[in-house]
Each structure stands twice: as structure tokens, then as C-alpha cells.
Coordinates of all heavy atoms in Angstrom, one line a residue:
T18 N -13.6 -28.9 -13.0 CA -14.0 -27.5 -12.9 C -12.8 -26.6 -13.2 O -11.7 -26.8 -12.7 CB -14.5 -27.2 -11.5 OG1 -15.6 -28.1 -11.2 CG2 -14.9 -25.8 -11.3
K19 N -13.0 -25.6 -14.1 CA -12.0 -24.7 -14.4 C -12.4 -23.3 -13.9 O -13.5 -22.8 -14.3 CB -11.8 -24.6 -16.0 CG -11.4 -25.9 -16.6 CD -10.0 -26.2 -16.4 CE -9.6 -27.4 -17.3 NZ -8.7 -28.3 -16.6
L20 N -11.7 -22.7 -13.1 CA -11.9 -21.4 -12.6 C -10.9 -20.4 -13.1 O -9.7 -20.8 -13.3 CB -11.9 -21.3 -11.1 CG -13.0 -22.1 -10.4 CD1 -12.9 -22.0 -8.8 CD2 -14.4 -21.6 -10.7
T21 N -11.3 -19.2 -13.5 CA -10.3 -18.2 -14.0 C -10.5 -17.0 -13.1 O -11.5 -16.8 -12.4 CB -10.6 -17.9 -15.4 OG1 -11.9 -17.3 -15.5 CG2 -10.5 -19.1 -16.3
K22 N -9.5 -16.1 -13.2 CA -9.5 -14.9 -12.5 C -10.7 -14.0 -12.8 O -11.4 -13.4 -12.0 CB -8.2 -14.1 -12.7 CG -8.1 -12.8 -11.9 CD -6.8 -12.2 -12.1 CE -6.7 -10.9 -11.2 NZ -5.4 -10.2 -11.4
E23 N -11.1 -14.0 -14.1 CA -12.2 -13.2 -14.6 C -13.5 -13.8 -14.0 O -14.4 -13.1 -13.7 CB -12.3 -13.2 -16.1 CG -11.1 -12.5 -16.7 CD -9.8 -13.3 -16.7 OE1 -9.9 -14.6 -16.9 OE2 -8.7 -12.8 -16.6
G24 N -13.6 -15.1 -13.9 CA -14.8 -15.8 -13.4 C -16.1 -15.5 -14.3 O -16.0 -14.8 -15.3
E25 N -17.1 -16.1 -13.9 CA -18.4 -15.9 -14.6 C -19.5 -15.5 -13.6 O -19.4 -15.8 -12.4 CB -18.8 -17.2 -15.3 CG -17.9 -17.7 -16.4 CD -18.4 -19.0 -17.0 OE1 -19.5 -19.4 -16.8 OE2 -17.5 -19.6 -17.7
G26 N -20.4 -14.7 -14.1 CA -21.5 -14.3 -13.2 C -21.3 -12.9 -12.6 O -20.4 -12.2 -13.0
K27 N -22.1 -12.6 -11.6 CA -22.1 -11.3 -11.0 C -21.0 -11.3 -9.9 O -20.5 -12.4 -9.4 CB -23.4 -11.1 -10.2 CG -24.6 -10.9 -11.2 CD -25.9 -10.7 -10.4 CE -27.1 -10.6 -11.3 NZ -28.3 -10.3 -10.5
Y28 N -20.5 -10.1 -9.6 CA -19.5 -9.9 -8.6 C -20.1 -10.2 -7.2 O -21.3 -10.0 -7.0 CB -19.0 -8.5 -8.5 CG -18.0 -8.2 -9.6 CD1 -18.4 -7.5 -10.8 CD2 -16.7 -8.7 -9.6 CE1 -17.5 -7.2 -11.8 CE2 -15.8 -8.4 -10.6 CZ -16.2 -7.7 -11.7 OH -15.3 -7.5 -12.7
I29 N -19.4 -10.8 -6.3 CA -19.8 -11.1 -5.0 C -19.0 -10.2 -4.0 O -17.9 -9.8 -4.3 CB -19.3 -12.6 -4.6 CG1 -19.9 -13.6 -5.6 CG2 -19.6 -12.9 -3.2 CD1 -21.4 -13.7 -5.5
N30 N -19.7 -9.8 -2.9 CA -19.1 -9.0 -1.9 C -17.7 -9.6 -1.5 O -17.8 -10.7 -0.9 CB -20.0 -8.8 -0.8 CG -19.4 -7.9 0.3 OD1 -18.2 -7.8 0.5 ND2 -20.3 -7.4 1.1
P31 N -16.6 -9.0 -1.7 CA -15.3 -9.6 -1.4 C -15.2 -9.9 0.1 O -14.5 -10.8 0.5 CB -14.3 -8.5 -1.8 CG -15.0 -7.7 -2.8 CD -16.4 -7.7 -2.4
T32 N -15.8 -9.0 1.0 CA -15.7 -9.2 2.4 C -16.4 -10.5 2.8 O -15.9 -11.3 3.6 CB -16.3 -8.0 3.2 OG1 -15.6 -6.8 2.8 CG2 -16.1 -8.2 4.7
Y33 N -17.6 -10.7 2.2 CA -18.4 -11.9 2.5 C -17.6 -13.2 2.0 O -17.4 -14.2 2.7 CB -19.7 -11.8 1.7 CG -20.5 -13.1 1.8 CD1 -21.4 -13.3 2.8 CD2 -20.5 -14.0 0.7 CE1 -22.2 -14.5 2.8 CE2 -21.2 -15.2 0.7 CZ -22.1 -15.4 1.8 OH -22.9 -16.5 1.8
Y34 N -17.0 -13.1 0.8 CA -16.3 -14.2 0.2 C -15.0 -14.5 1.0 O -14.7 -15.7 1.3 CB -15.9 -13.8 -1.2 CG -15.3 -15.0 -2.0 CD1 -16.1 -15.9 -2.6 CD2 -13.9 -15.1 -2.2 CE1 -15.6 -17.0 -3.3 CE2 -13.4 -16.1 -3.0 CZ -14.2 -17.1 -3.5 OH -13.7 -18.1 -4.3
K35 N -14.3 -13.5 1.4 CA -13.1 -13.7 2.3 C -13.4 -14.3 3.6 O -12.7 -15.2 4.1 CB -12.3 -12.4 2.5 CG -11.7 -11.8 1.2 CD -11.1 -10.5 1.5 CE -10.5 -9.9 0.2 NZ -10.0 -8.5 0.4
S36 N -14.5 -13.9 4.2 CA -15.0 -14.5 5.4 C -15.3 -16.0 5.3 O -14.9 -16.8 6.1 CB -16.2 -13.7 6.0 OG -16.7 -14.3 7.2
L37 N -16.0 -16.3 4.2 CA -16.3 -17.7 3.9 C -15.0 -18.5 3.7 O -14.9 -19.6 4.3 CB -17.2 -17.8 2.7 CG -17.6 -19.2 2.2 CD1 -18.3 -20.0 3.3 CD2 -18.4 -19.1 0.9
V38 N -14.1 -18.0 2.9 CA -12.9 -18.8 2.6 C -12.1 -18.9 3.8 O -11.5 -20.0 4.1 CB -12.1 -18.1 1.4 CG1 -10.7 -18.7 1.3 CG2 -12.8 -18.1 0.1
G39 N -12.0 -17.9 4.7 CA -11.3 -18.0 5.9 C -11.8 -19.1 6.8 O -11.1 -19.8 7.4
C40 N -13.2 -19.1 6.9 CA -13.8 -20.2 7.7 C -13.5 -21.5 7.2 O -13.2 -22.5 7.9 CB -15.3 -20.0 7.8 SG -15.9 -18.5 8.7
L41 N -13.5 -21.7 5.9 CA -13.2 -23.0 5.2 C -11.8 -23.4 5.4 O -11.4 -24.5 5.6 CB -13.6 -23.0 3.8 CG -15.1 -22.9 3.5 CD1 -15.4 -22.7 2.0 CD2 -15.8 -24.1 4.0
R42 N -10.9 -22.4 5.3 CA -9.4 -22.7 5.5 C -9.2 -23.2 6.9 O -8.4 -24.1 7.1 CB -8.6 -21.4 5.3 CG -8.5 -21.0 3.8 CD -7.5 -20.0 3.5 NE -6.1 -20.6 3.6 CZ -5.5 -21.4 2.7 NH1 -6.2 -21.8 1.6 NH2 -4.3 -21.8 2.9
Y43 N -9.9 -22.6 7.9 CA -9.7 -23.1 9.3 C -10.3 -24.5 9.5 O -9.7 -25.3 10.2 CB -10.3 -22.1 10.3 CG -10.0 -22.5 11.7 CD1 -8.6 -22.5 12.2 CD2 -10.9 -22.9 12.6 CE1 -8.3 -22.8 13.5 CE2 -10.6 -23.3 13.9 CZ -9.3 -23.2 14.3 OH -8.9 -23.6 15.6
L44 N -11.3 -24.8 8.7 CA -11.9 -26.1 8.8 C -11.0 -27.2 8.2 O -11.2 -28.4 8.6 CB -13.3 -26.1 8.1 CG -14.2 -27.2 8.3 CD1 -14.5 -27.4 9.7 CD2 -15.5 -27.0 7.5
T45 N -10.1 -26.8 7.4 CA -9.2 -27.8 6.8 C -8.2 -28.5 7.9 O -7.6 -29.5 7.6 CB -8.3 -27.3 5.7 OG1 -7.5 -26.2 6.2 CG2 -9.2 -26.8 4.5
C46 N -8.2 -27.9 9.1 CA -7.4 -28.5 10.2 C -7.8 -29.9 10.4 O -6.9 -30.8 10.7 CB -7.6 -27.7 11.5 SG -6.9 -26.1 11.5
T47 N -9.1 -30.2 10.3 CA -9.6 -31.6 10.6 C -10.2 -32.2 9.3 O -10.7 -33.3 9.4 CB -10.6 -31.6 11.7 OG1 -11.7 -30.7 11.4 CG2 -10.0 -31.2 13.0
R48 N -10.3 -31.4 8.2 CA -10.9 -31.9 7.0 C -10.0 -31.8 5.8 O -10.2 -30.9 5.0 CB -12.2 -31.1 6.8 CG -13.3 -31.3 7.8 CD -13.9 -32.7 7.7 NE -14.3 -33.1 6.4 CZ -15.5 -32.9 5.8 NH1 -16.4 -32.3 6.5 NH2 -15.7 -33.3 4.6
P49 N -8.9 -32.6 5.8 CA -8.0 -32.4 4.6 C -8.6 -32.7 3.3 O -8.1 -32.4 2.3 CB -6.9 -33.4 5.0 CG -7.5 -34.4 6.0 CD -8.5 -33.6 6.7
D50 N -9.8 -33.4 3.3 CA -10.5 -33.7 2.1 C -11.0 -32.5 1.3 O -11.2 -32.6 0.1 CB -11.6 -34.7 2.3 CG -12.7 -34.2 3.3 OD1 -12.3 -33.6 4.4 OD2 -13.9 -34.3 3.1
I51 N -11.1 -31.4 2.0 CA -11.6 -30.2 1.3 C -10.4 -29.2 1.0 O -10.7 -28.1 0.4 CB -12.7 -29.4 2.1 CG1 -12.1 -28.9 3.5 CG2 -13.9 -30.3 2.4 CD1 -13.1 -27.9 4.2
L52 N -9.2 -29.6 1.3 CA -8.1 -28.7 1.2 C -7.9 -28.3 -0.3 O -7.6 -27.1 -0.5 CB -6.8 -29.4 1.7 CG -5.6 -28.6 1.9 CD1 -5.9 -27.4 2.8 CD2 -4.5 -29.4 2.5
F53 N -8.0 -29.1 -1.2 CA -7.8 -28.7 -2.6 C -8.8 -27.7 -3.1 O -8.4 -26.7 -3.6 CB -7.8 -29.9 -3.6 CG -7.7 -29.5 -5.0 CD1 -6.5 -29.2 -5.6 CD2 -8.8 -29.5 -5.8 CE1 -6.4 -28.8 -6.9 CE2 -8.8 -29.0 -7.1 CZ -7.5 -28.7 -7.7
G54 N -10.1 -28.0 -2.8 CA -11.1 -27.1 -3.2 C -11.0 -25.7 -2.5 O -11.2 -24.7 -3.1
V55 N -10.7 -25.7 -1.2 CA -10.5 -24.4 -0.5 C -9.3 -23.7 -1.0 O -9.4 -22.5 -1.2 CB -10.4 -24.7 1.0 CG1 -10.1 -23.4 1.8 CG2 -11.7 -25.3 1.6
G56 N -8.2 -24.4 -1.3 CA -7.0 -23.7 -1.9 C -7.4 -23.1 -3.2 O -6.9 -22.0 -3.6
L57 N -8.2 -23.8 -4.0 CA -8.5 -23.3 -5.3 C -9.3 -22.0 -5.3 O -9.0 -21.0 -5.9 CB -9.3 -24.4 -6.1 CG -9.7 -24.0 -7.5 CD1 -8.5 -23.8 -8.4 CD2 -10.6 -25.2 -8.1
I58 N -10.4 -22.0 -4.4 CA -11.2 -20.8 -4.3 C -10.5 -19.6 -3.6 O -10.9 -18.5 -3.7 CB -12.6 -21.1 -3.7 CG1 -12.4 -21.5 -2.2 CG2 -13.4 -22.1 -4.5 CD1 -13.7 -21.6 -1.5
S59 N -9.4 -20.0 -2.9 CA -8.7 -18.9 -2.2 C -7.9 -18.0 -3.1 O -7.6 -16.9 -2.8 CB -7.6 -19.6 -1.2 OG -8.2 -20.3 -0.2
R60 N -7.7 -18.4 -4.4 CA -7.0 -17.7 -5.4 C -7.8 -16.5 -5.9 O -7.3 -15.6 -6.5 CB -6.7 -18.5 -6.6 CG -5.8 -19.7 -6.2 CD -5.6 -20.6 -7.5 NE -5.0 -21.8 -7.1 CZ -4.8 -22.8 -8.0 NH1 -5.3 -22.7 -9.2 NH2 -4.2 -23.9 -7.6
Y61 N -9.1 -16.5 -5.6 CA -10.0 -15.5 -6.2 C -10.7 -14.5 -5.2 O -11.8 -14.1 -5.4 CB -11.1 -16.2 -7.1 CG -10.5 -17.2 -8.0 CD1 -10.5 -18.6 -7.8 CD2 -9.8 -16.8 -9.2 CE1 -9.9 -19.5 -8.6 CE2 -9.1 -17.6 -10.0 CZ -9.2 -19.0 -9.7 OH -8.6 -19.9 -10.6
M62 N -10.0 -14.2 -4.2 CA -10.6 -13.4 -3.1 C -10.6 -11.9 -3.5 O -11.4 -11.1 -2.8 CB -9.8 -13.6 -1.8 CG -10.1 -15.0 -1.3 SD -9.8 -15.2 0.5 CE -8.0 -15.1 0.6
E63 N -9.9 -11.4 -4.4 CA -9.9 -9.9 -4.7 C -11.2 -9.5 -5.5 O -11.8 -8.5 -5.2 CB -8.7 -9.5 -5.5 CG -7.4 -9.7 -4.7 CD -7.5 -8.9 -3.4 OE1 -7.9 -7.7 -3.3 OE2 -7.1 -9.5 -2.3
T64 N -11.5 -10.3 -6.5 CA -12.7 -9.9 -7.3 C -13.6 -11.2 -7.5 O -13.7 -11.7 -8.6 CB -12.4 -9.3 -8.6 OG1 -11.4 -10.2 -9.3 CG2 -11.7 -7.9 -8.4
P65 N -14.2 -11.7 -6.4 CA -14.9 -13.0 -6.6 C -16.2 -12.8 -7.3 O -16.9 -11.7 -7.3 CB -15.2 -13.4 -5.1 CG -15.2 -12.1 -4.4 CD -14.2 -11.2 -5.1

């Protein structure tokens, strides 16, 4: 999967996206298997 800053599709509410990413980041405390994916999507919080 290749993600870019520009992304594809419609814009997502940044507050909603940041909340989701924040929840997933906290979940990585016990789920290191999702760490790479969560780190990747964390890069696009300004204009998801």
C-alpha cells in the first residue's frame, strides 16, 4: 500500500481522523502488530 500526502478520495473530518488515530496509537501499548500501520496513517492527520 502506497499512501501520499495528497491521498485519494474525499476529505475526511480531521478531528474525527485524529481521534481515531489517537485511539489506535494508545492501542499499540498491547498490540505491537498494528504499530507500523498506525504509524503510517499518523503521517496524514492534517488533511486526511
